[in-house]
């Protein structure tokens, strides 16, 4: 998968690692990801969370026969951040035939929790 011309490129999201049931990615906190008051935008955090859940889901399905889409996501924004890098770590907590559920924690450089999210991904058979 490539990020060129996608939301990942626009937000500066970089995938660090993809393993079975685990994904790590980073995103800068800068002019592209801040809200007008100078803090990391909650929507950027949610986009990062859904990105890692989606990449993780893709790694667990047969792309010749299936695809996947974000079905539901929620997020609790716990701490604000003005600059630097945030890291999202996703772990699968349910891997079913038609859905997967991921828990995502977004932390700062000091491992302080900024956001916790849960994302449900639909696994759909290609037609």
């Amino acid at each position: 998968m490539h990020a060129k011309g996608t939301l990942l490129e626009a937000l500066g999201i970089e995938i660090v690692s993809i393993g079975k049931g685990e994904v790590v990615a980073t995103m800068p906190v800068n002019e592209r990801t801040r809200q007008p008051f100078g803090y990391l935008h909650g929507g950027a955090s949610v986009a990062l969370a859904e990105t890692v859940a989606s990449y993780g889901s893709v790694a667990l399905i047969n792309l010749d026969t299936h695809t996947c889409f974000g079905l539901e996501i929620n997020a609790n924004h716990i701490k604000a951040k003005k600059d630097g890098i945030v890291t999202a770590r996703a772990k699968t907590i349910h891997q079913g035939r038609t859905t997967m559920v991921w828990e995502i924690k977004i932390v700062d450089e000091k491992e302080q929790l900024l956001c916790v999210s849960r994302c449900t991904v639909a696994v759909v058979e290609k037609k």
Side-chain angles (χ1 to χ4, degrees), residues 42-125:
S45 295
V46 172
L48 176 60
E50 186 162 338
T51 296
V52 290
S54 295
Y55 267 77
S57 296
V58 164
L60 296 173
I61 65 173
N62 180 343
L63 285 174
D64 292 331
T65 60
H66 290 78
T67 190
C68 58
F69 300 96
L71 184 64
E72 187 273 341
I73 190 164
N74 67 42
N76 294 99
H77 306 291
I78 296 167
K79 187 173 181 185
K81 183 160 179 65
K82 283 193 159 209
D83 54 29
I85 301 287
V86 295
T87 300
R89 293 187 182 92
K91 292 186 184 224
T92 183
I93 55 177
H94 167 73
Q95 182 183 345
R97 189 177 50 80
T98 59
T99 62
M100 293 187 205
V101 180
W102 292 80
E103 179 182 65
I104 304 100
K105 293 182 179 177
I106 300 175
V107 299
D108 66 11
E109 299 91 342
K110 296 178 182 177
E111 295 295 316
Q112 294 178 326
L113 186 63
L114 304 178
C115 178
V116 63
S117 180
R118 189 184 66 239
C119 183
T120 302
V121 177
V123 179
V124 180
E125 188 174 354

Side-chain angles (χ1 to χ4, degrees), residues 9-65:
E9 180 182 45
L11 297 180
I13 295 172
E14 293 186 16
I15 303 299
V16 174
S17 65
I18 302 174
K20 187 169 182 164
E22 290 188 353
V23 178
V24 177
T26 60
M27 181 178 70
V29 180
N30 60 24
E31 66 282 350
R32 296 178 295 172
T33 59
R34 285 188 203 111
Q35 38 95 312
F37 302 106
Y39 295 95
L40 176 62
H41 195 293
S45 295
V46 172
L48 176 60
E50 186 162 338
T51 296
V52 290
S54 295
Y55 267 77
S57 296
V58 164
L60 296 173
I61 65 173
N62 180 343
L63 285 174
D64 292 331
T65 60

